Amino acid sequence: MPHRLAAWYGSAVHGLTRDSSGKAGFGGRAIERLLEEARVSTPAYVYDLDGIRRETQALDEAFGDAPHIVAYAVKANSASTIVRAIGESGGGADVVSAGELDLALASGIVPNKIVMSGVAKGDDEIDRAIATGIRAIQLESVEEAERVAARAASARQTTGVSIRLNPSVEIDSHAHIATGHDEAKFGVAKSDVARAWAVVDAAAELRAVGVSTHVGSMLREPGPYVESARAVCDEAHARAAAEKPLEFVDFGGGFGVDYGGAPVEPPAVFARAALGLLRDQKLEHLTLVVEPGRSLVGAHGVLVARVIQAKKSAERRWLLLDAGMNDFIRPALYESRHRIEPLERAPGGKVWRVVGPVCESADDFGEHELGDDPPSAILIRDTGAYGFTMASEYNGRAVPAEVFVAGGRVVKVNPSPGRKAWVEARLRA
């Protein structure tokens, strides 16, 4: 492995564990000790790189000898240390901006394993994708196909494109993360697909290399995934019948994680279901692209926070943290529930309502069993995806620190910029 982090991977203990005294840890080390080693204060995200690598390798291996690309959805967690670890474990990248594209390239992802999605790519972003020679720009409308054709002609450069279909499939998920239904802004509607292909086929600078879809996120089993993938297979057959065969089919991502409420099938089950569909459709010669995000990183990160104080009023009991919705917005944005546990002992006992410091009623992480005596610190589980990457400085609160752990050692630290940096930036405004 070419990167220096590789030396710490191997026989490490994977996943969140607790020692005999109940202390939470990664890689056989207590998280409290890891934070001390990193010299950061809370709030802080802590990531288990060994677990992320193992998750990526397990999915990659599930495809066997079938041609495939595990295109990690960089938006889930854009830390270069994580993107690089996934790349070293066989992954590529699904990016949705020029910034993510440049990050993926700088983190060692090769262009041929990168696809770019997004409904409103700027001209500069299209130009960047064309210049870097990525596997494909995913076209999400007829109008975008025309724009990409014009930018490629202006650059006098040929670029690979795929059409992202809107499969018109409803899934059982939060409205904000369902992307494959008729009213979603994403993808080309079935009624517009012929016009989109006509634009592509008429443009000498565009190479039609694939067709894709993405039905939404937090899929618990592969049924809806396979249903939406059938629309992709239909288009692949139609292109082949027109003597315009494609190189790949992209079934998207959306594989869920178990946030503690219900079991979720692992990504390998989705991979096997996708391969089964390709075999049934006699399309197994095509490269299969999948776009996992949270399923690779979500379970392998925690957000650590200190308890500022307890608050009791009649029968109500609150724990007030130094971490809030600015640090972790999923509960406020998606009404999601994440397990919250004491850092230094196992969960259980009396229930406390856990809230943050932000001046919003939505800054509420729900009720959790934290014991008779409030802990001095807690961890919010399964925050490796859509945590730091969606954090903000709302209420003048600096974004949290990030600590990366491999083999029980801190291998990288991204410190919080701190309150002073926020004040100085706003004074310049």
Side-chain angles (χ1 to χ4, degrees):
M1 296 180 184
H3 191 252
R4 62 185 179 84
L5 296 187
W8 283 288
Y9 295 117
S11 59
V13 177
H14 301 306
L16 183 69
T17 59
R18 289 189 180 272
D19 65 17
S20 57
S21 66
K23 292 181 173 63
F26 277 140
R29 291 278 307 285
I31 290 175
E32 184 71 32
R33 302 289 84 78
L34 292 169
L35 291 178
E36 291 175 358
E37 182 180 328
R39 298 182 180 179
V40 300
S41 58
T42 58
Y45 282 96
V46 184
Y47 307 112
D48 175 19
L49 293 173
D50 296 317
I52 291 169
R53 290 186 71 100
R54 179 195 60 189
E55 206 81 64
T56 306
Q57 290 164 353
L59 177 56
D60 190 52
E61 291 168 1
F63 290 99
D65 295 331
H68 67 281
I69 299 174
V70 176
Y72 167 62
V74 174
K75 62 180 179 288
N77 191 319
S78 54
S80 177
T81 303
I82 286 176
V83 177
R84 186 177 292 276
I86 288 172
E88 291 175 352
S89 301
D94 167 46
V95 301
V96 295
S97 69
E100 287 188 354
L101 172 57
D102 286 345
L103 174 78
L105 292 168
S107 300
I109 307 295
V110 296
N112 196 44
K113 296 178 78 171
I114 298 175
V115 294
M116 175 181 271
S117 306
V119 299
K121 307 174 190 73
D123 285 352
D124 62 321
E125 294 179 306
I126 293 170
D127 292 347
R128 182 63 177 148
I130 292 170
T132 54
I134 62 173
R135 187 64 173 256
I137 300 173
Q138 312 260 42
L139 306 176
E140 305 223 17
S141 65
V142 176
E143 294 84 354
E144 184 174 67
E146 294 169 343
R147 290 178 54 233
V148 173
R151 301 309 299 178
S154 177
R156 297 181 180 180
Q157 191 167 341
T158 300
T159 191
V161 298
S162 64
I163 289 181
R164 175 174 172 172
L165 305 177
N166 182 319
S168 188
V169 173
E170 297 277 354
I171 63 171
D172 182 16
S173 190
H174 193 280
H176 293 175
I177 53 176
T179 61
H181 57 86
D182 289 338
E183 295 185 4
K185 67 181 181 179
F186 300 97
V188 178
K190 291 180 180 179
S191 59
D192 295 329
V193 170
R195 288 198 299 132
W197 283 128
V199 172
V200 172
D201 292 338
E205 292 79 15
L206 300 187
R207 289 188 303 109
V209 295
V211 60
S212 70
T213 192
H214 182 70
V215 73
S217 297
M218 274 307 294
L219 299 174
R220 297 189 176 279
E221 52 86 20
Y225 189 71
V226 172
E227 182 182 354
S228 68
R230 291 185 188 280
V232 173
C233 292
D234 289 345
E235 282 302 314
H237 282 303
R239 293 293 291 180
E243 299 184 350
K244 298 173 181 177
L246 301 173
E247 298 174 7
F248 72 81
V249 288
D250 182 344
F251 292 169
F255 315 148
V257 299
D258 182 3
Y259 287 120
V264 175
E265 294 285 6
V269 172
F270 288 82
R272 288 192 288 270
L275 289 174
L277 176 62
L278 285 185
R279 284 191 296 270
D280 292 344
Q281 296 281 328
K282 302 188 185 312
L283 292 171
E284 62 267 34
H285 60 285
L286 297 179
T287 296
L288 175 58
V289 180
V290 295
E291 301 172 2
R294 85 178 69 228
S295 60
L296 299 187
V297 298
H300 305 294
V302 297
L303 175 59
V304 182
R306 301 292 173 189
V307 175
I308 299 295
Q309 67 174 65
K311 177 180 177 179
K312 299 179 183 179
S313 177
E315 297 180 356
R316 296 180 176 86
R317 300 153 56 93
W318 292 275
L319 281 189
L320 284 66
L321 307 180
D322 65 355
M325 62 185 286
N326 62 300
D327 304 298
F328 186 57
I329 199 172
R330 290 196 76 252
L333 185 60
Y334 302 124
E335 300 175 317
S336 63
R337 177 178 172 81
H338 285 252
R339 291 169 287 182
I340 295 181
E341 301 175 0
L343 183 62
E344 298 287 276
R345 64 173 188 258
K350 286 188 177 180
V351 172
W352 294 78
R353 189 161 202 92
V354 181
V355 298
V358 174
C359 292
E360 299 282 350
S361 295
D363 190 24
D364 188 328
F365 298 113
E367 294 184 334
H368 302 270
E369 295 181 356
L370 297 173
D372 294 345
D373 297 320
S376 60
I378 59 90
L379 58 83
I380 306 178
R381 295 189 60 164
D382 308 312
T383 55
Y386 304 107
F388 183 93
T389 193
M390 297 180 77
S392 74
E393 296 176 315
Y394 185 45
N395 278 194
R397 299 183 179 277
V399 295
E402 295 179 287
V403 178
F404 304 85
V405 179
R409 297 176 60 184
V410 173
V411 296
K412 189 71 176 293
V413 177
N414 179 31
S416 170
R419 180 177 66 244
K420 183 179 179 182
W422 179 84
V423 173
E424 292 175 346
R426 298 315 294 155
L427 286 172
R428 291 194 298 270

